[in-house]
Amino acid sequence: MTQTVDVQAAANAFLARTEEHLVSYLEACVHCGMCADACHFHEASGDPRHTPAYKLFPMAKAYRSQKFPYNLLAPKITEKDLKEWEELLFDTCTMCGRCTTVCPMGIDIASIVGQARQAFVAAGLGPDDLMQAAQNSKDHGSALNVTPERFSDRLEWLEDENEIPIPVDKEKADILLTISSIETMKYPDSIVAMAKILNHAGVSWTTSTKGYEATNFGYLAGRGDIAKIMVNRIVEAAEACGAKTVVIPECGHAYGVLRWGAANMIGRALPFEVLHISEFMAKLKREGKLKLTPVKESITYHDPCQISRRGGATEEARYLLDGFAEDFREMTPTGNLNWCCGGGGGVQAIGRTADLRHKVFKIKIDQVEKTGASTLVSSCSNCRLTMDESKEALHWGGGLGSLVELVADHLIEDEAPVEAAE
Amino acid sequence: MTLLDFARGIGMEIALSIFALGVLWRLFSLLLLPWSKERSVKRADAPSSLVAGTQGFFRHMWPAQTSASMFVTINGYVFHIGLAIVVFGFAQHILFIKGLFGLTWPGIPSTFINIVAVITLASLVAALVRRISNPVTRLLSGFNDYFSWTVTALPVLTGLLAVGHYIEPYETILALHILSVELLLIWFPFGKLMHAFLVFLTRSETGIFYSRRGVDI
Ligand code: SF4
Ligand code: SF4
């Protein structure tokens, strides 16, 4: 690697973010190692370096090396440290929050990792492909280069193919639907499914070429500047059409960033409510607006970390599946304690992590096989992509599906009060 | 002035002062850092920060998932509770604390205290053995961890030696016992032992963080 590493910039960038809770977290760790067993990367690799607490070492070092009286003795952070930890902070942390659930000190490692990545990027580090995904988001509108033109072309094509209205840039709408480029490029059926459900509900909705990309690679890549640009695009799009609700598609981190992080990034409360598509569907069900035929096949549900453990929408998927999926089987552990897919936090976009991700997927295979369910359903296209890739690499025969597609496939269309297309 | 006089008198005063000022300094230098301002809209049914913080504190008393770390959890409780019983239950300690601060409370029979002290020491040794033998904790541990362990174990060891009159003259081992406590007090604010205070911050802040999101972990 011929990167120049600006060690001081990393230290400065991290220290600029030393808010009270981050430093308390760093200082309180008693090095008990309990978090190791909770982290899927450590579980899969057995490598002690994958212990969550260990991933924070350079930040603790950066803090101590400028804090009296530790600075008198504490070693300074070095280029070697940063290079070693680049891999640990980017490749081996999905910011899933699972380690927090076992930590006797209640340290939230994922919070620090998010901040630490920004420091590493300031130093000129970070995996090339992840950095490129963030740059693409800024320059072209999305990580996978889905430009506004490509986006509207694609939706138009889906609209024609499926004979279903998918509004783009409607002047006024109550709901703005955002989409993940993973769906646009790899799982377009999810887009069609969301459109079907929104039309079925008879709500006024649109997508927007001003702000369509839900997945915020700026955040995942430690590019705070790009993260903010991505959030602002959605905010402006929602304000332009007067949307009171922004619906996040099946993407965990998109939800985490917009629902819980965005207001802090732009320094003001969001002018709309943010709902993940699973929350939106549960809401429709509660309001009696979702008429479904039951699912007969046996299914189990993978909790995307940012929707469940770090998002708080754990029960919404269950509520939706209750009575709908006739043979629903919970895996163990499940809900807030479910294992991560191994591809969140941008890890999916880092090519060199593939082998490690496949190892992590074995944990999921084991969980699913114990339920005996024929299909594993998730509500995150990033989880789905991660699992699809590993499924292929490991030649696993189990079925993988999406919650929103499952619902859309079982809609009773006749009774639907479909809104007239424009 | 004998070593014992020094340990009981000026030595203890210095150690307690460093302890108190050090703890205050550590806490204030943390609390005076900028606090993140949370602008996201919390869940409608999220409890107040006070309730969420308290819940967070209690929730992390036990890991949410039982795993290989059960030994660490149980052993951790054994030496923490053991230390509390020995420090605050032993009649001589209560007398000493009364001399310093004027506070007093009933003691626990010394036979029981002796048993607890032996268990505590054994538990501390087990924690150290685990720290060294487990690849994860071995990788995580450094001077701070080992020194913090040492200054915690030494008073228990010297206390047991003093009570059992294993070393003569008694005054010398008693002085060493008191000096070991002073070493602990002086090290406390600057090393890992400070977790005894920080735990209130970290657990409750995590409790607030997750509960406003509607997450029960
Ligand atoms: S479980 Fe918590 S206190 Fe223990 S090593 Fe991990 S982060 Fe540190
Ligand atoms: S947040 Fe998740 S991936 Fe990151 S260290 Fe913790 S358990 Fe591992």
Side-chain angles (χ1 to χ4, degrees):
Chain A
M1 213 191 285
T2 52
Q3 277 166 306
T4 36
V5 180
D6 188 344
V7 181
Q8 197 52 43
N12 292 345
F14 184 72
L15 295 171
R17 290 176 177 78
T18 47
E19 286 164 338
E20 181 278 332
H21 68 286
L22 291 184
V23 179
S24 296
Y25 285 154
L26 288 177
E27 295 286 90
C29 176
V30 289
H31 294 163
C32 69
M34 288 189 44
C35 47
D37 297 329
C39 180
H40 44 282
F41 290 116
H42 177 264
E43 177 80 7
S45 70
D47 183 347
R49 291 164 66 252
H50 292 165
T51 301
Y54 188 65
K55 297 171 191 171
L56 306 182
F57 270 35
M59 278 69 70
K61 209 170 172 184
Y63 177 71
R64 295 206 142 208
S65 63
Q66 53 81 52
K67 176 80 188 156
F68 180 80
Y70 309 113
N71 55 354
L72 304 175
L73 292 170
K76 293 246 177 308
I77 187 161
T78 63
E79 185 172 333
K80 190 169 163 283
D81 291 335
L82 293 183
K83 284 193 167 159
E84 181 184 348
W85 265 274
E86 180 206 63
E87 181 217 333
L88 294 178
L89 281 170
F90 285 92
D91 299 25
T92 74
C93 183
T94 51
M95 300 190 257
C96 75
R98 199 163 189 273
C99 44
T100 309
T101 67
V102 298
C103 175
M105 300 298 293
I107 294 169
D108 192 46
I109 304 264
S111 300
I112 311 177
V113 169
Q115 299 284 13
R117 284 187 179 184
Q118 302 207 24
F120 274 63
V121 171
L125 288 164
D128 293 342
D129 31 16
L130 183 61
M131 295 304 123
Q132 191 58 49
Q135 197 61 43
N136 289 346
S137 304
K138 182 179 175 225
D139 298 342
H140 308 295
S142 98
L144 298 179
N145 288 331
V146 181
T147 58
E149 299 73 42
R150 241 175 130 185
F151 175 75
S152 52
D153 284 354
R154 193 103 175 129
L155 292 200
E156 203 178 310
W157 170 72
L158 286 174
E159 193 168 40
D160 292 347
E161 279 288 291
N162 297 278
E163 294 173 7
I164 175 171
I166 308 181
V168 181
D169 290 335
K170 254 167 62 173
E171 236 168 70
K172 286 281 157 231
D174 294 337
I175 293 172
L176 172 71
L177 174 70
T178 57
I179 290 169
S180 167
S181 48
I182 300 175
E183 295 170 313
T184 319
M185 301 312 291
K186 312 224 173 181
Y187 302 116
D189 286 351
S190 271
I191 304 177
V192 176
M194 289 190 290
K196 271 189 191 163
I197 292 164
L198 285 152
N199 291 337
H200 174 93
V203 292
S204 135
W205 69 283
T206 188
T207 57
S208 167
T209 50
K210 287 195 194 73
Y212 51 93
E213 179 55 62
T215 309
N216 194 322
F217 269 92
Y219 170 74
L220 301 176
R223 289 287 305 268
D225 53 334
I226 298 180
K228 198 168 160 183
I229 292 173
M230 300 299 287
V231 167
N232 274 325
R233 284 182 188 155
I234 295 178
V235 171
E236 281 159 25
E239 282 176 338
C241 68
K244 293 185 277 299
T245 303
V246 170
V247 172
I248 298 290
E250 291 196 322
C251 176
H253 278 279
Y255 179 69
V257 172
L258 202 68
R259 175 68 181 88
W260 300 112
N264 301 330
M265 287 176 193
I266 63 168
R268 65 179 167 113
L270 297 179
F272 46 75
E273 170 194 36
V274 179
L275 290 179
H276 182 249
I277 187 73
S278 63
E279 289 179 297
F280 179 73
M281 293 189 293
K283 183 168 172 264
L284 292 181
K285 183 175 177 182
R286 238 173 248 123
E287 292 166 354
K289 290 186 188 161
L290 208 54
K291 302 278 182 293
L292 301 169
T293 54
V295 177
K296 301 283 178 202
E297 64 176 317
S298 55
I299 64 162
T300 183
Y301 179 70
H302 162 74
D303 289 270
C305 307
Q306 305 301 320
I307 310 295
S308 291
R309 180 166 45 250
R310 281 176 80 76
T314 317
E315 291 312 317
E316 299 297 83
R318 269 85 192 167
Y319 172 73
L320 199 58
L321 289 166
D322 185 32
F324 165 50
E326 289 187 343
D327 187 1
F328 175 58
R329 306 173 187 187
E330 287 281 14
M331 51 177 88
T332 315
T334 189
N336 294 339
L337 302 181
N338 212 328
W339 285 103
C340 173
C341 69
V347 174
Q348 161 61 37
I350 306 172
R352 66 189 185 202
T353 63
D355 285 345
L356 186 57
R357 280 189 268 119
H358 302 330
K359 279 190 198 156
V360 169
F361 187 60
K362 288 188 185 152
I363 304 175
K364 193 55 65 183
I365 294 180
D366 186 49
Q367 279 184 288
V368 176
E369 287 183 347
K370 280 188 181 140
T371 69
S374 61
T375 305
L376 168 60
V377 170
S378 176
S379 60
C380 172
S381 55
N382 187 64
C383 294
R384 190 177 172 194
L385 181 60
T386 303
M387 299 195 291
D388 260 338
E389 278 183 16
S390 295
K391 172 184 148 91
E392 206 180 307
L394 302 175
H395 310 293
W396 185 57
L400 284 176
S402 121
L403 185 62
V404 76
E405 288 175 29
L406 191 73
V407 169
D409 289 346
H410 291 81
L411 284 176
I412 304 173
E413 291 288 7
D414 310 347
E415 297 177 23
V418 179
E419 192 200 13
E422 276 187 318
Chain B
M1 188 164 63
T2 65
L3 188 63
L4 185 58
D5 290 338
F6 169 79
R8 274 185 169 148
I10 181 93
M12 184 53 82
E13 279 168 25
I14 293 172
L16 280 171
S17 309
I18 294 178
F19 170 79
L21 291 174
V23 166
L24 284 176
W25 170 78
R26 279 293 298 276
L27 286 178
F28 275 104
S29 65
L30 264 181
L31 297 175
L32 292 176
L33 283 169
W35 287 66
S36 59
K37 188 162 164 30
E38 190 47 76
R39 294 185 175 87
S40 65
V41 181
K42 68 176 184 179
R43 299 245 176 229
D45 52 358
S48 69
S49 293
L50 185 67
V51 173
T54 314
Q55 282 174 345
F57 181 82
F58 286 105
R59 194 160 296 128
H60 286 277
M61 299 210 49
W62 201 256
Q65 304 145 62
T66 46
S67 59
S69 317
M70 221 4 72
F71 163 77
V72 181
T73 306
I74 293 170
N75 191 53
Y77 271 104
V78 170
F79 70 75
H80 276 89
I81 295 171
L83 284 169
I85 293 176
V86 175
V87 172
F88 298 110
F90 185 44
Q92 258 88 334
H93 291 165
I94 299 172
L95 271 180
F96 193 77
I97 293 169
K98 189 181 177 198
L100 284 172
F101 305 109
L103 285 171
T104 191
W105 54 88
I108 295 171
S110 60
T111 330
F112 181 70
I113 294 285
N114 282 340
I115 295 169
V116 172
V118 170
I119 294 173
T120 306
L121 193 59
S123 166
L124 281 168
V125 170
L128 181 67
V129 169
R130 200 242 180 207
R131 190 171 280 289
I132 297 168
S133 61
N134 181 291
V136 165
T137 41
R138 192 169 55 233
L139 178 69
L140 293 177
S141 304
F143 170 79
N144 194 340
D145 303 282
Y146 292 114
F147 194 66
S148 298
W149 182 91
T150 308
V151 300
T152 310
L154 270 182
V156 186
L157 177 70
T158 53
L160 276 169
L161 291 176
V163 167
H165 290 269
Y166 292 113
I167 290 178
E168 296 297 341
Y170 174 70
E171 282 70 24
T172 306
I173 185 65
L174 183 60
L176 289 177
H177 174 59
I178 298 174
L179 286 172
S180 71
V181 174
E182 288 160 9
L183 184 63
L184 178 143
L185 288 170
I186 292 169
W187 177 248
F188 196 110
F190 308 106
K192 286 289 170 202
L193 299 175
M194 190 62 194
H195 77 274
F197 287 96
L198 298 181
V199 68
F200 294 99
L201 288 176
T202 51
R203 282 191 192 170
S204 54
E205 287 180 62
T206 296
I208 294 168
F209 176 90
Y210 280 97
S211 88
R212 65 191 311 286
R213 294 180 174 212
V215 180
D216 189 23
I217 60 162

